[in-house]
Amino acid sequence: MRPVRSIPHARKAAAVAAIITVAAASPTTATGGTAGGRSSHASVTGAGEFRLPYLDDADIRSFTFDAHAAPYSRPLPGVPTGLPADAYGTVTVSHYSAERDVTYTAEGTLTSSPS
């Protein structure tokens, strides 16, 4: 079995940006209204575990994400009001290797500011 490597930063950022883009573009996934103290902006949170169907092992692969739209919240040069796709959040991907008794983890932070 080959060692697991961390997900490159650019790929993590792209994955989280895709989650935010979908959440921001889909009003049906938004938390909706302000009733109960919820934001009227889109957000997506969740977690999951999965096994690879073609690999018979005891490894546990999991992910969590917590992403929130924050439209027009990050002023940029030439765009003092920010952009409609402004967002923030986090994503974590973990892989527990039963054979090695080690958990490999990659964490990413989503900000909509340019790098």
Side-chain angles (χ1 to χ4, degrees), residues 31-40:
T31 57
T34 55
R38 293 186 297 176
S39 169
S40 63

Side-chain angles (χ1 to χ4, degrees), residues 1 4-5 7 15 19 46-65 91-98 103-106:
M1 179 178 218
V4 176
R5 294 184 179 93
I7 298 171
I19 291 169
E49 287 186 359
F50 61 96
R51 292 189 183 267
L52 300 177
Y54 53 83
L55 189 60
D56 187 23
D57 63 13
D59 290 10
I60 300 171
R61 297 154 185 92
S62 62
F63 59 91
T64 62
F65 52 90
V91 63
T92 303
V93 178
S94 296
H95 178 174
Y96 170 72
S97 170
T103 300
Y104 302 91
T105 302

Side-chain angles (χ1 to χ4, degrees), residues 8-21 110:
H9 179 71
R11 292 178 99 183
K12 288 187 291 187
V16 177
I19 291 169
I20 284 295
T21 301
L110 171 70

